[in-house]
């Protein structure tokens, strides 16, 4: 019964959240210190759009880490594939936007199939290292082939075949709605994955590989499919990214970006979909705010022992991340759900994977 | 012919540098099952502080060079030891979280280094001899490569002696095989965790100073770039196997140099392809034990 | 007669799975006490729980002092020797190194061990991984006998060994038990009859019976019910079902 109410409550909260986000560009809300401008102006809309793209990426990463227990350091490769794929197609082949998006997504999927099949020869920590190597190769390719990718300079979006409504600062609002659409879509995919047999299998594998094998199921295949869905979702986020930023830079395929996403997911709470979304927002806004802070006069005047660390946003975010890992193991979402909502986690320990709510359980990820 | 010699010898020299990083990673992984993402920043800090010291007492002299190596080693040791005690130990046995804190540390440290030393590379100088060449079979080899080889050989030899003939070495070898049983013999295995971090850190710190002379500059990203190759080396060599890491370091670097020279600068990519091939043919690496 | 080890309401779990449920028993400070039970009922887990090798709750007292909060190496340092179920010798270390690692005191009992297992002296320099199963078991037992322990925890020392070696290992334990009490998990009921004074029977993760070892094994009905075997047939690990 309470389960039923909770499900409805969650659904309601979700829908309300999306509707609110959708209405933001039409409202005049100012949140000084957090958002740079009132919500209807391009400054804030661009920031929030970027946050949503990263939320989508974080959601896709959470499918890997939270649902599948797979620690990847190469997830940015698929994000970059989406971004660069679309950029290259639009620049070189004169294809209209939507078919171009489709081709970019398929390209990302293809790369994921090849690299995923190879990296899944190993699991746990070796898997993490191998995915890192693939992402590095991708990043090298991008930096080297500057005639196609723009090299270090990055690739700017060729807008010739992009509908006018999605181009320029004046249309930030439309891009914002597009980004919102992407994050909602990826959320629904993540929800579906968590509820589906596939998600159950992947989670059960994480818990106890041996038992799954005894049951005659193929754990590797479940994880592989999960990996592909996560990669495809990341490519989707990449597509939104290049449209939003009207270009992309090599950082979009770098290990750095994967680590950034990892930070978002861990801050938000590994294994919680809303945690991933929250992590994406929190990180993007903090990053932006801390950068502003770094340039502020208050910081300038400090002695260098304080000034240098405080003017490096990534130093502060990295430190925050370490503190969360050590002192807040479930991230924000995990802490909220276990501590304040007092859910029946404690006795859920012995319950097994056919618990429909298990997707939301803080995962003790094992290598 | 002399080009081939040049490519091979520089390959071995680069392999020596990889080994300075990979040996520590491999020991740490073998004993603790921790993937140490922060290993690169141990190296970077060693390089920066080594350079700070050397540049103050006349960078082109040998005393400055030798002192900077010592400083690099000590800095690496200290940084690694503190990392183990403060960040790794509280998360005992939680391998994923341990990886995550090292990721966070690397992330934060690189940013801090950029804050202190700027984001542009700092070009460095050393004893003139390092940049001169020695002719070997017709090939003119920069002397810095020989220094790298000597350092890596000395490291390998002392590690082998340490592991084979000391009690702590014995504990580490036993721990790599079966940590629980080591504790069940009444041995506090955590002390050897700190020890392998310290050893790995010192090798990385020394490696940092040498890497700076090899590339000619120090930058906040020096270590993390090398780290990726060190990861590849440890996977190809077989995770946790020191001799595997040694062999793979040389193989990978030679392959990389060959490809750089003969296949139009594709060394970085060939290395990843080699990794893929090894994983397809032999997922546990050259000398790795069967997957546990 | 006093007790050396007191276990009160100890539960143990592996990962999220509870494998021992609130067991309570005590081990007298002399002789050999056998732990009996079907495959998979949690005998090994009980020993590992006592040693802190797996997560456990409840009270464990060694010679009057609580040890359930201590890490494994401290428990062992207080005088607990452990012979694990599958020998767990360090395969890439030599016999001599395996033994040297186990030495905790200034004057380890090397002569005693050499007297029990002369074979091992000859094979000092051999890699433990290349020893036969029986020889590995000797290394494993020897590691526990090198120190003056207050208690030995020995898990199926005769598992998978040829009858002659079973005899040799049983003999060694018998000799050791003159100076140190032993908690012995053993499936070979002949060995139990020969060595053990008391026995504890575990079923479904709990202690269900305790008493004189020979009496328990003499009661055919009891033996069949609790151990799933006939008292006169040595059961060494086959023919019984896993716990559901
Ligand atoms: N790593 C593990 N993960 C999950 N369950 C485990 C694990 N190890 C053991 N178990 C379970 O714990 C229970 C108790 O195991 P334990 O090894 O203690 O039994 P045992 O009585 O020693 O059996 P045996 O006579 O076969 O040695 C068994 O049901 C077993 O399946
Ligand atoms: Mg057992």
């Amino acid at each position: 019964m309470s389960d039923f109410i909770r499900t409805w409550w969650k659904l309601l909260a979700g829908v309300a959240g999306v509707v609110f986000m959708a209405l933001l560009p039409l409202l005049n809300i100012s949140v000084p210190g957090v958002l740079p401008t009132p919500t209807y102006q391009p400054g804030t809309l661009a920031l929030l759009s970027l946050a949503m793209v990263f939320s989508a990426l974080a959601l896709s990463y959470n499918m890997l880490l939270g649902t599948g227990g797979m620690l990847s350091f190469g997830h940015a490769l698929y994000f970059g594939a989406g971004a660069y794929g679309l950029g290259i197609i639009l620049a070189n082949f004169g294809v209209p936007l939507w078919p171009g998006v489709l081709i970019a997504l398929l390209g990302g999927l293809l790369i994921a199939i090849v690299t995923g099949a190879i990296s899944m020869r190993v699991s746990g920590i070796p898997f993490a290292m191998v995915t890192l190597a693939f992402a590095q190769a991708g990043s090298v390719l991008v930096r080297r082939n500057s005639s196609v990718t723009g090299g270090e300079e990055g690739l700017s979006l060729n807008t010739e075949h992009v509908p006018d409504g999605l181009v320029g600062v004046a249309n930030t609002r439309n891009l914002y709605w597009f980004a919102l659409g992407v994050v909602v879509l990826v959320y629904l995919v993540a929800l579906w994955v968590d509820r589906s047999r596939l998600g159950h299998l992947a989670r059960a594998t994480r818990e106890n590989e041996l038992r799954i094998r005894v049951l005659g199921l193929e754990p590797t295949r479940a994880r592989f499919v999960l990996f592909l869905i996560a990669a495809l979702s990341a490519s989707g986020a990449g597509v939104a990214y290049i449209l939003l930023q009207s270009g992309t830079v090599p950082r979009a395929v770098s290990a750095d970006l994967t680590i950034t996403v990892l930070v978002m997911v861990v801050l938000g709470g590994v294994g919680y979909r809303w945690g991933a979304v929250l992590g994406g927002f929190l990180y993007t806004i903090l990053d932006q705010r801390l950068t502003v802070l770094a340039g502020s006069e208050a910081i300038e005047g400090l002695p260098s022992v304080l000034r240098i660390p405080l003017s490096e946003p990534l130093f502060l975010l990295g430190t925050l991340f370490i503190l969360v890992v050590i002192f807040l193991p479930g991230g924000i979402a995990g802490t909220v759900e276990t501590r304040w909502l007092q859910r029946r986690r404690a006795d859920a320990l012995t319950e097994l994977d056919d618990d429909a709510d298990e997707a939301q359980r803080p995962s003790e990820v094992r290598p | 012919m002399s080009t081939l010699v040049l490519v091979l010898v520089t390959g071995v020299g680069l392999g020596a540098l990889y080994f300075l990083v990979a040996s520590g990673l491999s020991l740490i992984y073998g004993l603790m099952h921790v993937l140490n993402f922060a290993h690169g920043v141990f190296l970077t800090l060693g390089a920066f502080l080594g350079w700070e010291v050397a540049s103050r007492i006349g960078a082109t002299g040998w005393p400055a060079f030798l002192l900077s190596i010592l400083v690099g080693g000590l800095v690496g040791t200290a940084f690694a030891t503190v990392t183990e005690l403060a960040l790794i130990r509280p998360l005992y046995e939680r391998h994923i979280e341990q990886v995550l804190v090292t990721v966070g540390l690397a992330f934060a440290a690189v940013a801090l280094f950029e804050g202190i030393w700027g984001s542009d590379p700092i070009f460095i100088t050393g004893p003139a001899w390092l940049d001169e060449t020695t002719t070997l079979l017709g090939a003119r080899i920069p002397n810095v490569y020989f220094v790298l080889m000597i350092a890596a050989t000395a490291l390998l030899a002392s590690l082998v002696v340490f592991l084979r003939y000391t009690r702590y070495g014995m504990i580490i070898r036993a721990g790599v095989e079966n940590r629980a049983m080591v504790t069940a013999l009444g041995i506090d295995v955590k002390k050897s965790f700190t020890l392998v971090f310290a050893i790995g850190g010192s090798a990385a710190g020394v490696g940092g100073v040498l890497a700076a002379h090899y590339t000619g500059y120090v930058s906040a990203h020096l270590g993390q770039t090398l780290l990726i190759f060190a990861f590849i080396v440890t996977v190809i060599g077989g995770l946790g196997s020191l001799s595997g890491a040694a062999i793979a370091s040389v193989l990978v670097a030679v392959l990389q140099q060959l490809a750089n020279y003969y296949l139009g600068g594709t060394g970085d990519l060939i290395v990843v392809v080699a990794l893929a091939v090894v994983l397809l043919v032999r997922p546990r690496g050259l000398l790795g034990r069967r997957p546990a | 007669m006093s007790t050396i080890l007191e276990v009160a309401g100890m539960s143990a779990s592996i990962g999220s799975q509870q494998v021992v449920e609130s067991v309570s028993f005590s081990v007298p400070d002399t002789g050999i006490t056998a732990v009996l039970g079907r495959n998979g009922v949690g005998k090994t887990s009980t020993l590992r729980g006592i040693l802190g090798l797996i997560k456990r709750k409840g009270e464990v007292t060694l010679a009057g002092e609580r040890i359930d909060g201590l890490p494994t190496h401290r428990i062992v340092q207080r005088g607990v020797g452990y012979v694990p179920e599958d020998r767990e010798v360090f395969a890439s270390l030599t016999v001599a190194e395996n033994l040297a690692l186990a030495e905790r005191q200034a004057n380890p009992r090397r002569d005693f061990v050499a007297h029990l297992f002369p074979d091992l002296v000859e094979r000092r320099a051999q890699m433990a991984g290349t020893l036969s199963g029986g020889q590995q078991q000797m290394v494993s037992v020897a590691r526990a006998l090198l120190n003056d322990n207050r208690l030995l925890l020995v898990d199926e020392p005769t598992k998978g060994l040829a009858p002659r070696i079973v005899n040799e290992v049983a003999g060694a334990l018998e000799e050791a038990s003159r100076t140190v009490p032993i908690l012995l998990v053993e499936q070979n009921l002949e060995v139990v009859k020969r060595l053990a004074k008391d026995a504890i029977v575990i079923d479904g993760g709990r202690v269900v019976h305790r008493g004189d070892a020979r009496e328990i094994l003499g009661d055919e009905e009891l033996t069949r019910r609790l151990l799933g075997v006939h008292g006169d047939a040595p059961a060494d690990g086959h023919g019984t079902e896993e716990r559901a």
Side-chain angles (χ1 to χ4, degrees):
Chain A
M1 184 60 204
S2 75
D3 261 9
F4 178 78
I5 291 173
R6 200 166 61 217
T7 309
W8 276 101
W9 193 86
K10 271 186 179 173
L11 188 67
L12 206 67
V15 170
V18 171
V19 169
F20 175 72
M21 289 303 287
L23 292 178
L24 265 190
L26 309 174
L27 303 175
N28 180 0
I29 301 177
S30 293
V31 191
V34 178
L35 298 176
T37 65
T39 49
Y40 67 91
Q41 288 181 0
T44 286
L45 289 182
L47 179 66
L48 291 179
S49 312
L50 190 64
M52 288 190 287
V53 168
F54 282 136
S55 292
L57 183 59
L59 273 168
S60 75
Y61 192 80
N62 185 50
M63 289 182 213
L64 279 184
L65 185 61
T67 307
M70 292 182 274
L71 180 64
S72 163
F73 284 114
H75 201 55
L77 185 58
Y78 314 110
F79 180 82
Y84 273 98
L86 182 61
I88 292 170
I89 292 162
L90 290 182
N92 299 300
F93 302 111
V95 180
L97 179 66
W98 299 114
V101 168
L102 193 66
I103 298 171
L105 292 180
L106 286 178
L109 185 63
L110 193 68
I111 296 174
I113 290 175
V114 175
T115 53
I118 294 172
S119 15
M120 282 193 186
R121 300 279 295 174
V122 287
S123 59
I125 298 292
F127 173 80
M129 293 161 115
V130 173
T131 49
L132 176 67
F134 280 124
Q136 183 64 14
S139 154
V140 168
L141 276 177
V142 164
R143 284 170 211 268
R144 286 278 171 75
N145 297 302
S146 45
S147 56
V148 186
T149 61
E152 297 288 346
E153 305 293 298
L155 180 65
S156 51
L157 185 69
N158 181 332
T159 51
E160 205 177 318
H161 300 282
V162 179
D164 290 339
L166 288 176
V167 179
V169 180
N171 290 312
T172 309
R173 204 193 260 192
N174 295 343
L175 285 166
Y176 171 92
W177 281 318
F178 180 70
L180 180 63
V182 169
V183 76
V184 169
L185 188 66
V186 174
Y187 187 93
L188 292 177
V189 170
L191 181 68
W192 171 74
V193 163
D194 281 339
R195 294 279 154 92
S196 70
R197 199 177 123 73
L198 176 72
H200 284 302
L201 203 57
R203 272 194 306 281
T205 313
R206 195 186 65 207
E207 298 279 329
N208 191 344
E209 179 140 353
L210 214 60
R211 199 178 69 213
I212 305 302
R213 281 196 197 284
V214 171
L215 291 176
L217 301 165
E218 187 40 80
T220 325
R221 186 166 314 159
R223 278 196 292 202
F224 185 53
V225 174
L226 188 65
F227 183 92
L228 295 185
I229 295 176
L232 193 59
S233 307
S235 296
V239 162
Y241 177 81
I242 189 173
L243 289 174
L244 218 65
Q245 303 279 307
S246 25
T248 174
V249 287
R251 204 182 111 77
V253 268
S254 67
D256 258 14
L257 180 67
T258 305
I259 289 174
T260 307
V261 177
L262 179 63
V263 173
M264 294 172 191
V265 172
V266 171
L267 282 182
V270 177
Y272 298 90
R273 289 181 299 271
W274 69 269
V277 174
L278 182 69
F281 271 90
L282 201 62
Y283 184 97
T284 314
I285 291 175
L286 267 180
D287 189 23
Q288 210 259 359
R289 285 292 97 189
L290 290 173
T291 309
V292 171
L293 179 76
S296 72
E297 277 172 23
I299 298 284
E300 283 297 316
L302 291 173
S304 60
V305 217
L306 288 176
R307 180 177 43 87
I308 293 177
L310 288 181
S311 54
E312 289 295 330
L314 296 186
F315 171 76
L316 297 174
L317 285 167
T319 310
L320 176 65
F321 174 73
I322 294 176
L323 294 176
V324 167
V325 171
I326 295 183
F327 297 109
L328 216 62
I332 295 171
T335 308
V336 168
E337 296 230 358
T338 49
R339 208 163 297 166
W340 289 316
L341 302 187
Q342 287 295 338
R343 309 179 59 164
R344 54 197 166 89
R345 295 298 174 208
D347 25 276
L349 261 183
T350 44
E351 274 172 43
L352 286 174
D353 35 56
D354 32 16
D355 174 5
D357 214 73
E358 160 129 337
Q360 293 285 327
R361 192 147 103 206
S363 55
E364 192 217 332
V365 264
R366 282 193 224 99
Chain B
M1 172 61 194
S2 67
T3 355
L4 184 62
V5 173
L6 179 71
V7 170
L8 290 180
V9 176
T10 53
V12 175
L14 182 59
L17 182 56
Y18 289 166
F19 181 69
L20 290 176
V21 188
S23 54
L25 278 181
S26 186
L27 274 180
I28 291 170
Y29 183 84
L31 184 66
M32 307 169 63
H33 300 203
V34 173
L35 171 63
N36 181 23
F37 240 85
H39 215 70
V41 294
F42 301 164
L43 183 149
T44 312
L45 189 64
F48 271 125
L49 293 184
W51 170 243
E52 289 287 345
V53 170
S55 62
R56 276 179 178 62
I57 60 170
T60 52
W62 282 102
F65 177 69
L66 295 175
L67 189 66
S68 69
I69 287 185
L70 182 68
V71 168
L74 290 178
V75 166
T77 311
F79 194 0
T81 308
V82 171
T83 302
E84 202 282 325
L85 293 176
L87 298 182
I88 306 292
R89 183 166 289 200
L91 296 170
Y92 185 58
E93 284 295 298
R94 287 155 60 188
H95 301 306
I96 295 280
E97 275 103 332
Q98 287 176 327
V99 176
L100 296 184
V101 288
T102 66
V103 167
L105 177 61
F107 197 75
V110 170
L112 190 62
F113 296 160
E114 284 194 341
I116 299 173
W117 285 287
S119 41
D120 296 326
I122 298 174
F123 291 92
I124 67 159
T125 51
W129 181 82
L130 288 181
D131 300 325
E132 290 163 12
T133 59
T134 298
T135 308
L136 191 77
L137 298 173
R140 291 153 55 85
I141 318 268
N143 290 329
V144 68
Y145 286 97
F146 296 111
V147 176
L148 283 171
M149 285 182 226
I150 292 168
T153 314
L155 173 68
L156 180 59
S158 36
L159 280 179
V160 167
V161 169
F162 167 74
L163 288 174
R164 205 102 338 265
Y165 299 108
T166 65
R167 182 166 169 88
Y168 266 111
M170 202 158 75
I171 292 173
I172 290 172
R173 276 186 293 141
V176 167
E177 240 185 73
N178 185 343
R179 228 169 14 170
M181 196 56 219
V182 173
T183 64
L185 292 178
I187 296 166
D188 183 3
V189 83
K190 286 188 196 169
K191 281 188 197 147
S192 35
F193 292 174
T194 316
L195 188 65
V196 291
F197 254 82
I199 294 173
S202 67
V206 170
V209 175
L210 297 180
H213 286 282
Y214 168 79
T215 54
Y217 64 84
V218 201
S219 84
H221 295 274
L222 180 67
Q224 295 309 94
T225 316
L226 272 171
L227 185 67
I228 292 178
F229 289 102
F231 280 163
I232 295 177
V233 160
T234 47
V235 174
I236 291 184
L239 275 160
S241 160
L242 193 66
S243 31
I247 295 169
S249 293
V250 173
L251 285 183
V252 164
V254 167
L255 186 69
Q256 193 179 1
Q257 293 293 71
L258 284 172
N260 274 339
Y261 194 84
Y262 293 106
L263 297 176
T266 53
D268 298 2
L269 297 179
I270 292 292
V271 168
V272 175
V273 172
L275 173 72
V277 171
V278 169
L279 285 178
L280 288 174
V281 179
R282 196 178 162 86
R284 64 182 149 115
L286 299 177
L287 297 185
R289 47 185 83 241
R290 60 194 167 13
Chain C
M1 189 177 65
S2 55
T3 60
I4 180 70
L5 184 79
E6 182 80 50
V7 176
M10 184 183 78
S11 305
S13 52
I14 301 174
S16 59
Q17 201 164 341
Q18 187 163 27
V19 289
V20 175
E21 256 178 68
S22 182
V23 291
S24 303
F25 60 89
S26 56
V27 181
D29 65 358
T30 53
I32 297 183
T33 306
V35 179
L36 306 175
R38 286 186 256 204
N39 288 121
V41 296
K43 305 180 294 293
T44 299
S45 303
T46 302
L47 297 197
R48 292 171 65 82
I50 293 170
L51 278 168
L53 283 166
I54 56 178
K55 257 193 314 209
R56 79 290 202 203
K57 283 193 301 234
E59 287 182 19
V60 183
T61 316
L62 178 74
E65 289 176 54
R66 289 281 292 269
I67 57 168
D68 44 79
L70 299 177
T72 303
H73 68 276
R74 292 233 181 284
I75 296 175
V76 172
Q77 284 166 5
R78 293 194 170 200
V80 180
Y82 178 46
V83 180
E85 179 163 4
D86 291 306
R87 293 146 203 166
E88 306 204 22
V89 297
F90 301 109
S92 65
L93 273 61
T94 63
V95 171
E97 287 175 329
N98 265 277
L99 298 182
L101 267 186
E103 294 177 357
R104 302 198 308 269
Q105 57 200 43
N107 53 338
R109 299 166 64 188
R110 292 185 188 139
D111 294 340
F112 177 59
V113 167
H115 146 79
L116 287 178
F117 306 116
D119 242 16
L120 296 186
V121 181
E122 276 166 44
R123 298 180 179 276
R124 287 186 58 78
Q126 190 174 337
M127 287 292 166
T130 63
L131 295 172
S132 75
Q135 291 160 344
Q136 290 190 4
Q137 189 59 265
M138 290 174 197
V139 171
S140 189
V141 174
R143 286 192 304 203
L145 297 184
L146 275 165
N147 304 292
D148 293 302
N149 284 311
R150 293 202 270 195
L151 171 70
L152 297 187
L153 304 178
V154 182
D155 199 349
E156 301 205 35
T158 66
K159 188 176 171 185
L161 301 183
R164 193 179 59 79
I165 315 282
V166 170
N167 242 333
E168 194 171 335
V169 170
L173 291 175
E174 195 165 25
E175 203 166 333
S177 72
R178 298 203 187 105
T179 51
V180 59
I182 299 179
L183 185 63
L184 172 71
V185 175
E186 184 52 73
Q187 301 269 24
N188 183 328
L189 299 184
E190 290 309 312
V191 172
V192 175
K193 275 185 197 158
R194 171 175 160 191
L195 297 178
K197 204 167 46 178
D198 292 310
I200 297 160
V201 183
I202 296 188
D203 198 19
R206 302 172 151 277
V207 174
V208 290
H209 198 85
R210 74 159 304 155
D212 184 87
R214 283 179 194 83
E215 239 165 63
I216 292 178
L217 297 180
D219 184 339
E220 207 172 297
E221 149 66 20
L222 190 68
T223 316
R224 190 170 42 241
R225 189 159 53 80
L226 295 177
L227 308 180
V229 290
H230 297 290
D232 46 6
D236 49 5
H238 299 290
T240 48
E241 75 279 21
E242 288 273 298
R243 187 165 64 98

